[in-house]
Amino acid sequence: MATKPKVIVTRRWPETVEHRIAVLFEAVFNEADEPLGREGLMAALGEADALFPTVTDPLDAEVLAAEPLKAKLIGNFGVGFNHIDAKAAKARGITVTNTPEVLTDATADLAMTLLLMAARRAGEGERHARAGEWTGWRPTHMMGTQVTGKTLGIVGFGRIGRAMAERARQGFKMRILYYDRFPVDPEIAAVLGVEACATVDELVEKSDFVSLHCPGGGENTRLMNAERFARMPRHAFLINTARGDVVDEAALVEALQAGEIAGAGLDVFEAEPKITEALKAMDNVVMLPHLGSATTETRVAMGMRVVDNAVAFFEGKTPQDKVS
Ligand code: 8YV
């Protein structure tokens, strides 16, 4: 890179990554760590050669219509990029990159955490213990649901879905069903010990736990709706570490209230950071504030991956994680 490109980083990133960015680029950091907002994003697109956003930055067609426009690269911090209109970006000559692979394990670990917490009433039990409500051990106290040996249905069999399958199968001897628009080769499925379902409906009907690992937006919007909750067995749980919009949150509340499903473990929500009030009141719902990739190791690796992509881009190469 002959002259240092100007980059605007929309949120605070781990210190080691910000340090590398400061060395390589003319960098603007967001000391306040407040989202820039639509106008701030439009201004940033007019000022910088590259924008490094996160899931809290809606880069839709309207924002990407910014004038003047200087940015040639959007280096997203995260694998999911449904907050970016990649087509609109392409039409404006902006390359978009993401950060796959480096967050696969952390996200699958968190999905398994939520599954276990929901099944074993861990959130409820923790609240109970902290509140000083525990009167002592007894055989019928807070009985949960056995996880080992049950059937897990995975929607979206990409990297994270497969990592979840591996954990569930090897760690918890679960039977694994999956649904994906592009099913894997049956020989590979046999090696992985997973069974394909032809439809999401079939998967939800047969699963004790349904875990979502598909991208958000587009045709996956509200994939889990009232009809699909009604198809799930009454003892089944929903786990969502994908995107909030994959679940119709109002329909989920109704299904839980009606006892159509047994509980849920949620890391993502339709209108983050807002969470539907009714969910907060339910003891059979475990909630986390979008922590899927939130380990120090992973967040550093994600940031470094954004930087690697940007370095390649400004050296005139194709970044390894170009998505459009
Ligand atoms: C990120 C995520 O923390 O990578 C993703 O798609 O959902 C999370 O791991 C978030 O998107 C940051 O932008």
Side-chain angles (χ1 to χ4, degrees):
M1 294 184 286
T3 53
K4 285 185 178 183
K6 178 168 176 178
V7 309
I8 295 183
V9 187
T10 68
R11 303 301 298 267
R12 274 268 84 124
W13 286 17
E15 215 180 312
T16 44
V17 190
E18 286 197 350
H19 181 73
R20 186 171 170 220
I21 292 171
V23 171
L24 289 169
F25 305 106
E26 182 197 332
V28 178
F29 297 110
N30 182 349
E31 307 274 335
D33 203 14
E34 295 285 347
L36 298 184
R38 303 177 69 81
E39 280 176 18
L41 290 170
M42 289 173 91
L45 288 167
E47 281 166 36
D49 298 294
L51 186 67
F52 290 173
T54 73
V55 70
T56 57
D57 302 312
L59 290 155
D60 53 32
E62 208 179 282
V63 171
L64 289 166
E67 284 299 346
L69 176 71
K70 183 176 179 195
K72 287 266 166 274
L73 175 70
I74 292 176
N76 185 51
F77 183 95
V79 67
F81 56 92
N82 62 315
H83 56 290
I84 303 171
D85 187 330
K87 261 199 195 144
K90 194 173 181 184
R92 298 225 63 199
I94 307 173
T95 294
V96 180
T97 61
N98 70 344
T99 63
E101 292 157 7
V102 289
L103 46 69
T104 301
D105 286 326
T107 308
D109 288 352
L110 197 91
M112 202 66 220
T113 303
L114 282 173
L115 189 157
L116 290 165
M117 285 182 77
R120 299 302 301 272
R121 303 172 66 174
E124 188 185 351
E126 219 254 355
R127 286 190 291 280
H128 184 76
R130 276 184 194 273
E133 288 164 1
W134 188 28
T135 55
W137 189 92
R138 54 199 188 276
T140 57
H141 188 212
M142 274 201 190
M143 295 184 294
T145 299
Q146 186 92 354
V147 169
T148 297
K150 295 285 177 65
T151 299
L152 170 64
I154 293 180
V155 179
F157 205 54
R159 296 182 193 86
I160 302 171
R162 290 179 199 208
M164 178 66 169
E166 197 176 278
R167 280 154 179 73
R169 202 171 87 89
Q170 293 179 13
F172 300 91
K173 302 183 183 74
M174 296 179 91
R175 176 185 177 207
I176 312 293
L177 308 178
Y178 80 92
Y179 169 81
D180 197 285
R181 277 192 306 149
F182 305 103
V184 298
D185 187 287
E187 275 177 31
I188 296 176
V191 173
L192 297 174
V194 301
E195 303 160 48
C197 288
T199 61
V200 176
D201 288 346
E202 181 192 342
L203 178 132
V204 300
E205 280 168 10
K206 291 180 173 170
S207 301
D208 301 311
F209 297 89
V210 172
S211 190
L212 306 177
H213 299 283
C214 54
E219 63 189 25
N220 292 337
T221 306
R222 299 197 166 168
L223 178 106
M224 290 305 298
N225 53 24
E227 199 212 313
R228 293 211 164 108
F229 290 127
R231 285 178 185 272
M232 288 172 69
R234 293 179 88 81
H235 65 262
F237 290 82
L238 174 75
I239 309 301
N240 189 10
T241 53
R243 278 295 179 267
D245 67 19
V246 182
V247 174
D248 180 339
E249 213 163 280
L252 173 63
V253 168
E254 280 172 25
L256 287 160
Q257 281 169 344
E260 283 177 1
I261 67 171
L266 309 171
D267 187 43
V268 286
F269 302 86
E270 263 190 327
E272 292 177 18
K274 261 178 44 198
I275 299 178
T276 304
E277 281 305 317
L279 286 175
K280 295 187 203 162
M282 292 177 183
D283 261 333
N284 52 345
V285 176
V286 179
M287 289 175 292
L288 295 175
H290 202 148
L291 295 182
S293 63
T295 68
T296 303
E297 296 88 335
T298 296
R299 290 283 164 84
V300 169
M302 288 164 70
M304 294 302 185
R305 191 88 171 210
V306 176
V307 177
D308 291 344
N309 282 317
V311 168
F313 178 82
F314 287 114
E315 282 176 350
K317 300 176 192 149
T318 303
Q320 65 170 332
D321 305 315
K322 182 173 187 290
V323 294
S324 79

PDB file of all heavy atoms in Angstrom, residues 271-293:
ATOM      1  N   ALA A 271     -35.534  -7.358  17.243  1.00  0.00           N
ATOM      2  CA  ALA A 271     -35.275  -5.918  17.270  1.00  0.00           C
ATOM      3  C   ALA A 271     -34.189  -5.595  18.288  1.00  0.00           C
ATOM      4  O   ALA A 271     -34.373  -4.780  19.175  1.00  0.00           O
ATOM      5  CB  ALA A 271     -36.563  -5.160  17.591  1.00  0.00           C
ATOM      6  N   GLU A 272     -33.049  -6.271  18.166  1.00  0.00           N
ATOM      7  CA  GLU A 272     -31.950  -6.070  19.124  1.00  0.00           C
ATOM      8  C   GLU A 272     -31.605  -4.586  19.250  1.00  0.00           C
ATOM      9  O   GLU A 272     -31.592  -3.898  18.230  1.00  0.00           O
ATOM     10  CB  GLU A 272     -30.695  -6.809  18.646  1.00  0.00           C
ATOM     11  CG  GLU A 272     -30.857  -8.295  18.698  1.00  0.00           C
ATOM     12  CD  GLU A 272     -29.639  -9.044  18.153  1.00  0.00           C
ATOM     13  OE1 GLU A 272     -28.543  -8.461  18.033  1.00  0.00           O
ATOM     14  OE2 GLU A 272     -29.798 -10.222  17.837  1.00  0.00           O
ATOM     15  N   PRO A 273     -31.299  -4.081  20.435  1.00  0.00           N
ATOM     16  CA  PRO A 273     -31.208  -4.816  21.697  1.00  0.00           C
ATOM     17  C   PRO A 273     -32.540  -4.932  22.448  1.00  0.00           C
ATOM     18  O   PRO A 273     -32.540  -5.329  23.612  1.00  0.00           O
ATOM     19  CB  PRO A 273     -30.210  -3.968  22.504  1.00  0.00           C
ATOM     20  CG  PRO A 273     -30.465  -2.567  22.027  1.00  0.00           C
ATOM     21  CD  PRO A 273     -30.859  -2.675  20.579  1.00  0.00           C
ATOM     22  N   LYS A 274     -33.650  -4.599  21.767  1.00  0.00           N
ATOM     23  CA  LYS A 274     -34.943  -4.741  22.443  1.00  0.00           C
ATOM     24  C   LYS A 274     -35.361  -6.206  22.463  1.00  0.00           C
ATOM     25  O   LYS A 274     -35.235  -6.901  21.452  1.00  0.00           O
ATOM     26  CB  LYS A 274     -36.012  -3.908  21.726  1.00  0.00           C
ATOM     27  CG  LYS A 274     -36.246  -2.581  22.414  1.00  0.00           C
ATOM     28  CD  LYS A 274     -37.253  -1.685  21.738  1.00  0.00           C
ATOM     29  CE  LYS A 274     -38.523  -2.340  21.262  1.00  0.00           C
ATOM     30  NZ  LYS A 274     -39.196  -1.477  20.259  1.00  0.00           N
ATOM     31  N   ILE A 275     -35.867  -6.654  23.589  1.00  0.00           N
ATOM     32  CA  ILE A 275     -36.347  -8.028  23.698  1.00  0.00           C
ATOM     33  C   ILE A 275     -37.817  -7.962  24.083  1.00  0.00           C
ATOM     34  O   ILE A 275     -38.191  -7.190  24.978  1.00  0.00           O
ATOM     35  CB  ILE A 275     -35.556  -8.812  24.782  1.00  0.00           C
ATOM     36  CG1 ILE A 275     -34.063  -8.858  24.412  1.00  0.00           C
ATOM     37  CG2 ILE A 275     -36.132 -10.216  24.957  1.00  0.00           C
ATOM     38  CD1 ILE A 275     -33.193  -9.556  25.445  1.00  0.00           C
ATOM     39  N   THR A 276     -38.655  -8.738  23.415  1.00  0.00           N
ATOM     40  CA  THR A 276     -40.080  -8.755  23.734  1.00  0.00           C
ATOM     41  C   THR A 276     -40.270  -9.004  25.231  1.00  0.00           C
ATOM     42  O   THR A 276     -39.738  -9.967  25.787  1.00  0.00           O
ATOM     43  CB  THR A 276     -40.770  -9.893  22.931  1.00  0.00           C
ATOM     44  OG1 THR A 276     -40.491  -9.671  21.558  1.00  0.00           O
ATOM     45  CG2 THR A 276     -42.270  -9.903  23.142  1.00  0.00           C
ATOM     46  N   GLU A 277     -41.011  -8.097  25.877  1.00  0.00           N
ATOM     47  CA  GLU A 277     -41.182  -8.155  27.336  1.00  0.00           C
ATOM     48  C   GLU A 277     -41.654  -9.530  27.815  1.00  0.00           C
ATOM     49  O   GLU A 277     -41.168 -10.058  28.813  1.00  0.00           O
ATOM     50  CB  GLU A 277     -42.180  -7.081  27.797  1.00  0.00           C
ATOM     51  CG  GLU A 277     -41.590  -5.687  27.878  1.00  0.00           C
ATOM     52  CD  GLU A 277     -40.344  -5.587  28.761  1.00  0.00           C
ATOM     53  OE1 GLU A 277     -40.331  -6.169  29.858  1.00  0.00           O
ATOM     54  OE2 GLU A 277     -39.378  -4.919  28.332  1.00  0.00           O
ATOM     55  N   ALA A 278     -42.619 -10.107  27.085  1.00  0.00           N
ATOM     56  CA  ALA A 278     -43.197 -11.385  27.532  1.00  0.00           C
ATOM     57  C   ALA A 278     -42.124 -12.473  27.658  1.00  0.00           C
ATOM     58  O   ALA A 278     -42.206 -13.330  28.548  1.00  0.00           O
ATOM     59  CB  ALA A 278     -44.288 -11.818  26.562  1.00  0.00           C
ATOM     60  N   LEU A 279     -41.116 -12.426  26.801  1.00  0.00           N
ATOM     61  CA  LEU A 279     -40.059 -13.445  26.865  1.00  0.00           C
ATOM     62  C   LEU A 279     -39.282 -13.333  28.179  1.00  0.00           C
ATOM     63  O   LEU A 279     -38.906 -14.336  28.784  1.00  0.00           O
ATOM     64  CB  LEU A 279     -39.080 -13.292  25.695  1.00  0.00           C
ATOM     65  CG  LEU A 279     -39.552 -13.722  24.319  1.00  0.00           C
ATOM     66  CD1 LEU A 279     -38.501 -13.372  23.268  1.00  0.00           C
ATOM     67  CD2 LEU A 279     -39.859 -15.228  24.275  1.00  0.00           C
ATOM     68  N   LYS A 280     -39.066 -12.083  28.600  1.00  0.00           N
ATOM     69  CA  LYS A 280     -38.275 -11.857  29.821  1.00  0.00           C
ATOM     70  C   LYS A 280     -38.968 -12.434  31.047  1.00  0.00           C
ATOM     71  O   LYS A 280     -38.324 -12.746  32.038  1.00  0.00           O
ATOM     72  CB  LYS A 280     -38.057 -10.351  30.033  1.00  0.00           C
ATOM     73  CG  LYS A 280     -37.223  -9.703  28.953  1.00  0.00           C
ATOM     74  CD  LYS A 280     -36.935  -8.263  29.367  1.00  0.00           C
ATOM     75  CE  LYS A 280     -36.615  -7.406  28.166  1.00  0.00           C
ATOM     76  NZ  LYS A 280     -36.750  -5.972  28.438  1.00  0.00           N
ATOM     77  N   ALA A 281     -40.275 -12.551  30.957  1.00  0.00           N
ATOM     78  CA  ALA A 281     -41.042 -13.036  32.118  1.00  0.00           C
ATOM     79  C   ALA A 281     -41.088 -14.567  32.180  1.00  0.00           C
ATOM     80  O   ALA A 281     -41.602 -15.128  33.151  1.00  0.00           O
ATOM     81  CB  ALA A 281     -42.459 -12.471  32.042  1.00  0.00           C
ATOM     82  N   MET A 282     -40.573 -15.231  31.154  1.00  0.00           N
ATOM     83  CA  MET A 282     -40.716 -16.692  31.091  1.00  0.00           C
ATOM     84  C   MET A 282     -39.483 -17.404  31.635  1.00  0.00           C
ATOM     85  O   MET A 282     -38.381 -17.222  31.132  1.00  0.00           O
ATOM     86  CB  MET A 282     -40.948 -17.121  29.638  1.00  0.00           C
ATOM     87  CG  MET A 282     -42.274 -16.662  29.098  1.00  0.00           C
ATOM     88  SD  MET A 282     -42.401 -17.134  27.366  1.00  0.00           S
ATOM     89  CE  MET A 282     -43.984 -16.410  26.968  1.00  0.00           C
ATOM     90  N   ASP A 283     -39.687 -18.248  32.618  1.00  0.00           N
ATOM     91  CA  ASP A 283     -38.573 -18.981  33.207  1.00  0.00           C
ATOM     92  C   ASP A 283     -38.017 -20.060  32.288  1.00  0.00           C
ATOM     93  O   ASP A 283     -36.881 -20.497  32.463  1.00  0.00           O
ATOM     94  CB  ASP A 283     -39.019 -19.610  34.534  1.00  0.00           C
ATOM     95  CG  ASP A 283     -38.578 -18.758  35.717  1.00  0.00           C
ATOM     96  OD1 ASP A 283     -37.561 -18.038  35.580  1.00  0.00           O
ATOM     97  OD2 ASP A 283     -39.255 -18.801  36.759  1.00  0.00           O
ATOM     98  N   ASN A 284     -38.829 -20.500  31.325  1.00  0.00           N
ATOM     99  CA  ASN A 284     -38.357 -21.553  30.413  1.00  0.00           C
ATOM    100  C   ASN A 284     -37.650 -20.987  29.177  1.00  0.00           C
ATOM    101  O   ASN A 284     -37.411 -21.688  28.206  1.00  0.00           O
ATOM    102  CB  ASN A 284     -39.505 -22.472  29.982  1.00  0.00           C
ATOM    103  CG  ASN A 284     -40.686 -21.702  29.440  1.00  0.00           C
ATOM    104  OD1 ASN A 284     -40.787 -20.484  29.615  1.00  0.00           O
ATOM    105  ND2 ASN A 284     -41.580 -22.408  28.766  1.00  0.00           N
ATOM    106  N   VAL A 285     -37.332 -19.687  29.236  1.00  0.00           N
ATOM    107  CA  VAL A 285     -36.581 -19.065  28.141  1.00  0.00           C
ATOM    108  C   VAL A 285     -35.236 -18.596  28.691  1.00  0.00           C
ATOM    109  O   VAL A 285     -35.185 -17.901  29.708  1.00  0.00           O
ATOM    110  CB  VAL A 285     -37.360 -17.865  27.551  1.00  0.00           C
ATOM    111  CG1 VAL A 285     -36.537 -17.153  26.481  1.00  0.00           C
ATOM    112  CG2 VAL A 285     -38.685 -18.346  26.964  1.00  0.00           C
ATOM    113  N   VAL A 286     -34.171 -19.014  28.024  1.00  0.00           N
ATOM    114  CA  VAL A 286     -32.833 -18.560  28.396  1.00  0.00           C
ATOM    115  C   VAL A 286     -32.422 -17.521  27.368  1.00  0.00           C
ATOM    116  O   VAL A 286     -32.557 -17.754  26.162  1.00  0.00           O
ATOM    117  CB  VAL A 286     -31.831 -19.738  28.378  1.00  0.00           C
ATOM    118  CG1 VAL A 286     -30.438 -19.249  28.743  1.00  0.00           C
ATOM    119  CG2 VAL A 286     -32.275 -20.827  29.336  1.00  0.00           C
ATOM    120  N   MET A 287     -31.919 -16.387  27.821  1.00  0.00           N
ATOM    121  CA  MET A 287     -31.572 -15.314  26.894  1.00  0.00           C
ATOM    122  C   MET A 287     -30.156 -14.820  27.118  1.00  0.00           C
ATOM    123  O   MET A 287     -29.741 -14.631  28.268  1.00  0.00           O
ATOM    124  CB  MET A 287     -32.522 -14.140  27.108  1.00  0.00           C
ATOM    125  CG  MET A 287     -33.915 -14.418  26.638  1.00  0.00           C
ATOM    126  SD  MET A 287     -35.027 -13.083  27.038  1.00  0.00           S
ATOM    127  CE  MET A 287     -35.072 -13.226  28.789  1.00  0.00           C
ATOM    128  N   LEU A 288     -29.453 -14.602  26.037  1.00  0.00           N
ATOM    129  CA  LEU A 288     -28.122 -13.995  26.105  1.00  0.00           C
ATOM    130  C   LEU A 288     -28.088 -12.820  25.129  1.00  0.00           C
ATOM    131  O   LEU A 288     -28.802 -12.819  24.127  1.00  0.00           O
ATOM    132  CB  LEU A 288     -27.039 -15.026  25.737  1.00  0.00           C
ATOM    133  CG  LEU A 288     -26.882 -16.212  26.699  1.00  0.00           C
ATOM    134  CD1 LEU A 288     -25.874 -17.216  26.145  1.00  0.00           C
ATOM    135  CD2 LEU A 288     -26.435 -15.739  28.078  1.00  0.00           C
ATOM    136  N   PRO A 289     -27.249 -11.818  25.417  1.00  0.00           N
ATOM    137  CA  PRO A 289     -27.214 -10.621  24.555  1.00  0.00           C
ATOM    138  C   PRO A 289     -26.249 -10.768  23.374  1.00  0.00           C
ATOM    139  O   PRO A 289     -25.186 -10.156  23.344  1.00  0.00           O
ATOM    140  CB  PRO A 289     -26.755  -9.527  25.521  1.00  0.00           C
ATOM    141  CG  PRO A 289     -25.901 -10.246  26.515  1.00  0.00           C
ATOM    142  CD  PRO A 289     -26.437 -11.643  26.637  1.00  0.00           C
ATOM    143  N   HIS A 290     -26.620 -11.577  22.400  1.00  0.00           N
ATOM    144  CA  HIS A 290     -25.831 -11.779  21.152  1.00  0.00           C
ATOM    145  C   HIS A 290     -24.341 -12.003  21.458  1.00  0.00           C
ATOM    146  O   HIS A 290     -23.480 -11.224  21.055  1.00  0.00           O
ATOM    147  CB  HIS A 290     -26.019 -10.580  20.208  1.00  0.00           C
ATOM    148  CG  HIS A 290     -25.707 -10.918  18.772  1.00  0.00           C
ATOM    149  ND1 HIS A 290     -26.351 -10.339  17.704  1.00  0.00           N
ATOM    150  CD2 HIS A 290     -24.817 -11.775  18.229  1.00  0.00           C
ATOM    151  CE1 HIS A 290     -25.864 -10.817  16.568  1.00  0.00           C
ATOM    152  NE2 HIS A 290     -24.924 -11.692  16.869  1.00  0.00           N
ATOM    153  N   LEU A 291     -24.087 -13.108  22.155  1.00  0.00           N
ATOM    154  CA  LEU A 291     -22.718 -13.418  22.585  1.00  0.00           C
ATOM    155  C   LEU A 291     -22.050 -14.523  21.769  1.00  0.00           C
ATOM    156  O   LEU A 291     -20.976 -14.997  22.139  1.00  0.00           O
ATOM    157  CB  LEU A 291     -22.729 -13.850  24.069  1.00  0.00           C
ATOM    158  CG  LEU A 291     -23.151 -12.811  25.107  1.00  0.00           C
ATOM    159  CD1 LEU A 291     -23.063 -13.397  26.517  1.00  0.00           C
ATOM    160  CD2 LEU A 291     -22.271 -11.563  25.015  1.00  0.00           C
ATOM    161  N   GLY A 292     -22.699 -14.948  20.663  1.00  0.00           N
ATOM    162  CA  GLY A 292     -22.202 -16.103  19.899  1.00  0.00           C
ATOM    163  C   GLY A 292     -20.698 -16.141  19.722  1.00  0.00           C
ATOM    164  O   GLY A 292     -20.042 -17.139  20.005  1.00  0.00           O
ATOM    165  N   SER A 293     -20.122 -15.050  19.251  1.00  0.00           N
ATOM    166  CA  SER A 293     -18.682 -15.055  18.963  1.00  0.00           C
ATOM    167  C   SER A 293     -17.866 -14.356  20.049  1.00  0.00           C
ATOM    168  O   SER A 293     -16.675 -14.085  19.851  1.00  0.00           O
ATOM    169  CB  SER A 293     -18.436 -14.356  17.621  1.00  0.00           C
ATOM    170  OG  SER A 293     -18.846 -13.000  17.699  1.00  0.00           O
TER     171      SER A 293
END
